[in-house]
Amino acid sequence: QIQDLTFLIKNYCLTELYLNNNELTDISGALKHLSALQILFLHNNQLKKLGKTVKELKGMISLETLNLFHNPLAQDPDYRLYVIYSLPSVQLLDRKSVTQRERESAFHLYNRERSCVVQSIAFGKRVNTPLGTTVGSSRCTQPARRLMMPSVWKHSDNAHLLCSFCRVPFENPEDAVFLRAMTRSLMEFSSVDWNKVATCQERRLENKVEEPHETLTVQFR
């Protein structure tokens, strides 16, 4: 039935802390000094404010295992992704491993501008709107911009083909950039070890058959 954590104020070297099954309603100012903490159990309490709770844990750079389930704050629709984004060191959240897919989703949801830059790279211009569908979030209220297609494409069943061959201008130039970022293009880079390639003079003097070049080719979107 613990309700107050002021007794922990002089503990700095704790690596494990089990506070589950108590009556905690707020941990603000009580745990942020525990930078060495690796395991923290806070499940089955009465913690209600997700933002304040996560803020208290942000200084725990070594925290790997965290339990917050069976608290009112766990009912927040963005609860898990918000914790994953805010506490990147956590590997096991509520007895469930944090996946790479969840980290990517959290990054896209809570750092849209950076995510947008990453996804629109190599198109010559930043896209200032999030790619893909908008994910509903109480902490991320930026609306997705509506893509305004050229009128000649609107009723075409082959708009994706027209995109490649038709140069009809968009009503908004930003939409052209956005569409290119959505459809992507395949980039290919090749490299050759020129130290193994004979020069013109070497070919003339040695008069021998040149070995095939070793070429490394990488493709990505």
Side-chain angles (χ1 to χ4, degrees):
Q1 298 181 343
I2 294 176
Q3 298 180 6
D4 183 25
L5 298 179
T6 53
F7 63 89
L8 290 171
I9 196 65
K10 294 183 179 180
N11 292 271
Y12 291 92
C13 299
L14 292 179
T15 59
E16 300 182 16
L17 183 56
Y18 303 91
L19 292 168
N20 48 298
N21 304 318
N22 283 292
E23 298 294 332
L24 296 172
T25 59
D26 189 8
I27 61 172
S28 299
L31 302 179
K32 59 184 177 182
H33 62 288
L34 302 176
S35 57
L37 207 61
Q38 299 176 14
I39 298 176
L40 176 60
F41 286 1
L42 285 167
H43 55 280
N44 287 333
N45 278 283
Q46 298 299 319
L47 299 173
K48 298 178 181 180
K49 297 182 179 180
L50 178 58
K52 289 182 65 176
T53 300
V54 170
K55 183 179 180 180
E56 183 69 16
L57 307 181
K58 279 191 174 182
M60 301 178 183
I61 57 177
S62 301
L63 188 62
E64 296 182 355
T65 302
L66 175 64
N67 281 354
L68 288 171
F69 62 90
H70 291 171
N71 278 285
L73 58 76
Q75 302 302 314
D76 190 301
D78 307 319
Y79 155 71
R80 185 171 175 86
L81 291 183
Y82 182 68
V83 174
I84 290 172
Y85 175 76
S86 302
L87 306 173
S89 64
V90 173
Q91 305 294 324
L92 190 66
L93 176 60
D94 294 344
R95 301 175 179 174
K96 182 180 178 182
S97 296
V98 177
T99 66
Q100 182 60 31
R101 186 180 184 86
E102 286 179 318
R103 293 193 188 280
E104 292 173 355
S105 297
F107 180 70
H108 176 69
L109 183 60
Y110 292 105
N111 196 339
R112 286 175 182 255
E113 183 176 357
R114 178 60 181 168
S115 176
C116 188
V117 171
V118 171
Q119 294 189 51
S120 63
I121 194 170
F123 292 93
K125 187 176 181 180
R126 285 183 57 177
V127 178
N128 292 320
T129 54
L131 304 187
T133 57
T134 301
V135 180
S137 169
S138 58
R139 294 177 180 78
C140 202
T141 57
Q142 179 183 356
R145 178 165 55 83
R146 184 178 179 183
L147 181 62
M148 301 299 293
M149 301 287 285
S151 57
V152 71
W153 292 359
K154 290 181 180 177
H155 303 292
S156 172
D157 294 331
N158 297 312
H160 64 288
L161 297 177
L162 288 172
C163 181
S164 301
F165 301 105
C166 182
R167 293 184 177 274
V168 176
F170 280 80
E171 295 176 16
N172 184 346
E174 290 288 337
D175 291 332
V177 179
F178 181 72
L179 183 63
R180 291 177 64 195
M182 289 292 290
T183 55
R184 298 301 169 93
S185 63
L186 187 65
M187 312 294 289
E188 179 176 297
F189 291 89
S190 298
S191 63
V192 177
D193 187 354
W194 291 102
N195 293 324
K196 298 181 180 180
V197 179
T199 63
C200 295
Q201 185 177 7
E202 288 173 341
R203 286 198 293 268
R204 286 198 303 270
L205 294 177
E206 297 182 13
N207 193 28
K208 65 179 182 180
V209 179
E210 187 175 354
E211 297 181 359
H213 299 163
E214 294 183 3
T215 305
L216 174 64
T217 301
V218 179
Q219 292 184 342
F220 63 90
R221 289 192 183 277

